[in-house]
Amino acid sequence: MITARAHTNIALVKYWGKKDQKLIIPQTDSLSLTLNEFYADTGVEFRDNLTADDIEIDGQPVTGHSAEKVKDFLDHIRQISGNHNYAKVISTNHVPVSAGLASSASAFAALATAASKAAGLNLDRRSLSRLARRGSGSATRSIYGGLVEWHRGTDDQSSFAEPIMEKVDFGIEMIAILINTTKKKISSRQGMQSSVESSPYYPTWRKVVTHDMVAMKEAISNKDIDQIGHIAEENALRMHALTLSADPGYTYFNGDTIHAIQAINDLRSQGVSCYYTMDAGPNVKVIYDQKDRKKIVQYLGNLFGKERLIISQPGPGVEIIDK
Amino acid sequence: MITARAHTNIALVKYWGKKDQKLIIPQTDSLSLTLNEFYADTGVEFRDNLTADDIEIDGQPVTGHSAEKVKDFLDHIRQISGNHNYAKVISTNHVPVSAGLASSASAFAALATAASKAAGLNLDRRSLSRLARRGSGSATRSIYGGLVEWHRGTDDQSSFAEPIMEKVDFGIEMIAILINTTKKKISSRQGMQSSVESSPYYPTWRKVVTHDMVAMKEAISNKDIDQIGHIAEENALRMHALTLSADPGYTYFNGDTIHAIQAINDLRSQGVSCYYTMDAGPNVKVIYDQKDRKKIVQYLGNLFGKERLIISQPGPGVEIIDK
């Protein structure tokens, strides 16, 4: 059994909308930070004695929609590798339960890496990035560590990620504030599709991203966390404006999301540099310089409880591990 | 002393952005429902023995920014009427304390009506609508009862409101859910200006309104409350998407705003027709047919407390009253 470990990533310039649903070619470029704290370990073995794929996540057999997605992905691997056996897949997610963090990014990056190797393929990282993309868009970026850019491209070949700064040598960190949700979630897949099809602001969003990618790369090359945070926050809000303006309009925010945003604004108005970003769920992620960690943890810990804050440094790219 | 009573109004197609700050010429048309439950009574007398304007609102002398706005407005009346005396102004707001409902609409509609008559002018309603506009954009519409359209126009002459259906002969009603706010408010004046100047989605918002005005007038002529509610809700969310996408981005929503939106969505998914709209504050207004009032009041009353729900029917236009 070949096991790979891949970390999740949080987009600083968001991916929100596909051009090609099947190949997962996005409408725009995007840019993310891979996080050290959250990862998936996925082992794959193709066995000639299996009569179906056997998928186990966190100790439980997987069925339904999640299983179908993994099986479709394995079918693709079988097709390109010529290895037509069924596979045993064992995956463990090191993402806090119900954190609402993008676990599919780490899951499909790890699966692409382990399964391709187990099937006898020997893919370079760019090819792994393309392959992971077929499972989940954001997985494209989780092949690499640190700050990563996903070139939207126009087809399977040209749509892949590459690192901007794989070893991050300045103090950027993130805190995930874990916010409970009792509401039925709109998946990012459904949410972005609805934005593409029904938000009148979508065409302008494409231009926003084109602009923000340039500005963000400039801010990264200057190691300017304030600028990185400001662009990320504005970009996230402009993405969430797409969900509000879709038909029907909706929001991923809940009451605690708004409280967290207000808290971060308050902290900033007290002179502490920190910024927020949100994805397809109510959780808020705080972007800041590690030198300000103590103040931020204290302030947010008082409001939300320290046990609901998860601090993460930049994390590494995907790797094969012994297990 | 001449006293006028004017009712507030809630926009179904929002006014959000000025083209001319001084004359208050809006970027777009808008459309509103005047409400019976919320009004201002304003008495004005120009007296030759006063050495300054003397303004009293709800029994208190008014100073600062609010007083300056009223004085500027009275200056304008003096200029066009030739009556150069200072004025005594006594105003009473029948809007629940801290309801966060647009009280400036009723305030300036009543002031324009009372002050122009007290100064010896005899203006028709269209002229009153233009005049009220100089005090507060939304006051333009409060001259008329029922469903009202404000033509954005291009200058002082052409920017005025007129009624679409002054006596509303179908069952539309609104419930205002009073939501407390402890946060410092961004005024609608500041908020809309920031959207015009810094939201990349603003140019598209103009097209959204052009489209929604046509659709809303069609829905009104069909007395189709579902269609009216749907268009109003979508229009409101697309307006609030402008605040999120401004730089800096912000929101008028607080946690309870999100809870109210969720409650109305839940109620609708149970088959009760109701829709929401929000303005420059956290309060949520529910749009529905009076035949569904009982169910809606019961459901929202359980969640928010019946004392926080204010039911309102369509209200009349401005009138001179004996006091």
Side-chain angles (χ1 to χ4, degrees):
Chain A
M1 178 160 271
I2 304 287
T3 300
R5 173 171 295 178
H7 291 73
T8 195
N9 70 79
I10 299 294
L12 301 173
V13 177
K14 301 296 183 194
Y15 151 54
W16 197 249
K18 297 178 179 65
K19 209 163 216 164
D20 184 316
Q21 305 275 335
K22 195 176 170 308
L23 292 176
I24 313 194
I25 309 297
Q27 291 270 358
T28 62
D29 296 342
S30 56
L31 194 155
S32 61
L33 179 66
T34 300
L35 294 183
N36 202 37
E37 209 60 27
F38 310 108
Y39 59 92
D41 287 340
T42 301
V44 181
E45 191 173 21
F46 289 90
R47 295 176 184 164
D48 56 14
N49 63 342
L50 289 174
T51 57
D53 291 318
D54 177 359
I55 304 154
E56 184 186 309
I57 299 183
D58 295 330
Q60 301 291 324
V62 175
T63 54
H65 179 68
S66 300
E68 288 312 311
K69 276 185 69 181
V70 174
K71 286 173 186 174
D72 287 349
F73 192 81
L74 292 168
D75 282 344
H76 180 63
I77 302 256
R78 281 184 277 263
Q79 195 193 324
I80 58 177
S81 68
N83 182 333
H84 292 290
N85 287 329
Y86 287 109
K88 172 76 189 168
V89 176
I90 300 176
S91 186
T92 325
N93 277 296
H94 296 263
V95 178
V97 178
S98 78
L101 294 162
S103 56
S104 63
S106 46
F108 278 99
L111 181 64
T113 305
S116 60
K117 194 169 172 77
L121 294 168
N122 197 7
L123 302 179
D124 62 15
R125 295 204 298 173
R126 182 167 295 181
S127 301
L128 285 175
S129 175
R130 290 189 191 100
L131 179 59
R133 198 197 68 232
R134 312 278 288 231
S136 170
S138 55
T140 314
R141 297 182 307 239
S142 269
I143 297 299
Y144 299 98
L147 291 154
V148 181
E149 175 177 12
W150 177 10
H151 304 285
R152 67 179 185 279
T154 52
D155 57 13
D156 181 56
Q157 249 338 80
S158 56
S159 188
F160 57 81
E162 64 183 348
I164 292 175
M165 186 189 285
E166 188 136 32
K167 280 297 239 182
V168 178
D169 62 357
F170 60 105
I172 191 168
E173 285 189 353
M174 276 196 195
I175 291 173
I177 307 174
L178 304 186
I179 288 171
N180 289 328
T181 174
T182 53
K183 281 279 145 186
K184 196 169 63 180
K185 216 176 108 169
I186 297 163
S187 73
S188 58
R189 201 165 277 216
Q190 293 168 303
M192 62 176 67
Q193 188 58 18
S194 138
S195 294
V196 172
E197 287 170 4
S198 71
S199 170
Y201 302 147
Y202 198 85
T204 303
W205 163 251
R206 285 199 207 94
K207 293 178 197 164
V208 166
V209 173
T210 302
H211 172 272
D212 287 354
M213 286 297 292
V214 174
M216 184 62 86
K217 285 192 272 187
E218 167 86 12
I220 289 169
S221 77
N222 294 332
K223 303 177 186 180
D224 182 341
I225 296 181
D226 269 311
Q227 201 52 29
I228 292 170
H230 176 74
I231 298 165
E233 185 175 297
E234 197 172 277
N235 182 272
L237 289 172
R238 286 171 179 178
M239 180 210 112
H240 286 275
L242 298 175
T243 74
L244 274 193
S245 57
D247 180 15
Y250 66 96
T251 180
Y252 288 109
F253 299 175
N254 68 18
D256 285 340
T257 310
I258 306 272
H259 297 154
I261 289 176
Q262 287 173 341
I264 294 158
N265 283 335
D266 289 346
L267 201 47
R268 199 155 72 209
S269 72
Q270 291 166 30
V272 182
S273 280
C274 53
Y275 301 87
Y276 53 84
T277 185
M278 294 84 58
D279 294 283
N283 287 313
V284 173
K285 276 79 76 175
V286 193
I287 303 162
Y288 62 95
D289 189 320
Q290 60 180 30
K291 74 177 168 55
D292 297 316
R293 188 200 299 156
K294 207 174 149 186
K295 278 183 262 182
I296 295 168
V297 167
Q298 192 174 343
Y299 190 86
L300 297 178
N302 282 341
L303 290 172
F304 296 96
K306 281 215 169 94
E307 73 285 358
R308 289 170 73 190
L309 307 182
I310 302 184
I311 300 164
S312 188
Q313 274 89 39
V318 73
E319 53 191 345
I320 301 291
I321 58 171
D322 287 324
K323 214 163 180 187
Chain B
M1 178 161 269
I2 305 287
T3 301
R5 173 172 295 179
H7 291 74
T8 195
N9 70 80
I10 300 293
L12 301 173
V13 177
K14 301 296 183 194
Y15 151 54
W16 197 249
K18 296 177 180 64
K19 209 165 215 163
D20 184 316
Q21 306 275 335
K22 194 175 169 309
L23 292 175
I24 312 193
I25 310 296
Q27 291 270 359
T28 63
D29 296 342
S30 56
L31 194 155
S32 61
L33 180 65
T34 299
L35 294 183
N36 202 37
E37 209 60 28
F38 309 108
Y39 58 93
D41 288 342
T42 301
V44 181
E45 191 174 19
F46 289 90
R47 295 176 184 164
D48 55 14
N49 63 342
L50 288 174
T51 57
D53 291 319
D54 176 0
I55 305 154
E56 183 187 310
I57 299 183
D58 295 331
Q60 300 291 324
V62 175
T63 54
H65 180 67
S66 301
E68 288 312 311
K69 276 186 68 180
V70 173
K71 286 174 186 173
D72 287 349
F73 192 80
L74 292 168
D75 282 343
H76 180 63
I77 302 257
R78 280 185 278 263
Q79 195 193 323
I80 59 178
S81 69
N83 183 333
H84 292 290
N85 286 328
Y86 286 110
K88 171 76 189 168
V89 176
I90 299 176
S91 186
T92 325
N93 278 294
H94 297 263
V95 177
V97 177
S98 78
L101 294 162
S103 57
S104 63
S106 46
F108 278 99
L111 181 64
T113 305
S116 60
K117 195 166 171 77
L121 294 168
N122 197 8
L123 302 180
D124 62 14
R125 294 206 297 173
R126 182 167 295 182
S127 302
L128 285 175
S129 174
R130 290 188 191 101
L131 180 59
R133 198 197 68 232
R134 311 277 288 231
S136 170
S138 55
T140 313
R141 298 182 307 240
S142 269
I143 297 299
Y144 299 99
L147 291 153
V148 181
E149 174 177 11
W150 176 10
H151 304 285
R152 66 180 186 278
T154 52
D155 57 13
D156 182 56
Q157 253 332 85
S158 56
S159 187
F160 56 82
E162 64 182 349
I164 292 174
M165 186 188 283
E166 186 135 33
K167 280 297 241 180
V168 177
D169 63 356
F170 61 105
I172 191 168
E173 284 190 352
M174 277 196 195
I175 291 173
I177 308 174
L178 304 186
I179 288 172
N180 289 328
T181 174
T182 53
K183 282 279 148 187
K184 196 169 62 179
K185 215 176 109 169
I186 297 162
S187 73
S188 57
R189 200 166 278 215
Q190 293 169 301
M192 63 176 67
Q193 189 57 19
S194 138
S195 295
V196 172
E197 287 170 4
S198 71
S199 169
Y201 302 148
Y202 198 86
T204 303
W205 164 251
R206 285 199 207 93
K207 293 179 196 162
V208 165
V209 173
T210 302
H211 172 272
D212 287 354
M213 286 297 292
V214 174
M216 184 61 86
K217 285 192 272 188
E218 168 87 12
I220 289 170
S221 77
N222 294 332
K223 302 177 186 179
D224 183 341
I225 296 180
D226 270 312
Q227 202 52 29
I228 292 170
H230 176 74
I231 299 165
E233 185 175 296
E234 197 171 277
N235 182 272
L237 289 172
R238 287 172 178 177
M239 180 209 111
H240 285 276
L242 299 176
T243 74
L244 274 193
S245 56
D247 179 17
Y250 65 97
T251 180
Y252 288 109
F253 300 175
N254 68 20
D256 285 340
T257 310
I258 306 273
H259 297 152
I261 289 175
Q262 287 174 341
I264 295 158
N265 283 336
D266 289 347
L267 200 48
R268 199 155 73 208
S269 72
Q270 291 167 29
V272 182
S273 280
C274 53
Y275 301 86
Y276 53 84
T277 186
M278 293 84 58
D279 294 284
N283 287 312
V284 173
K285 277 78 78 173
V286 193
I287 303 163
Y288 62 96
D289 190 321
Q290 60 181 30
K291 74 177 168 53
D292 297 316
R293 187 199 301 156
K294 208 176 148 185
K295 277 183 261 181
I296 295 168
V297 167
Q298 192 174 344
Y299 189 85
L300 297 178
N302 282 340
L303 290 173
F304 296 96
K306 282 216 167 91
E307 72 286 358
R308 288 170 71 189
L309 307 182
I310 302 184
I311 301 164
S312 188
Q313 275 89 39
V318 74
E319 53 191 345
I320 301 290
I321 58 170
D322 287 325
K323 218 170 178 179

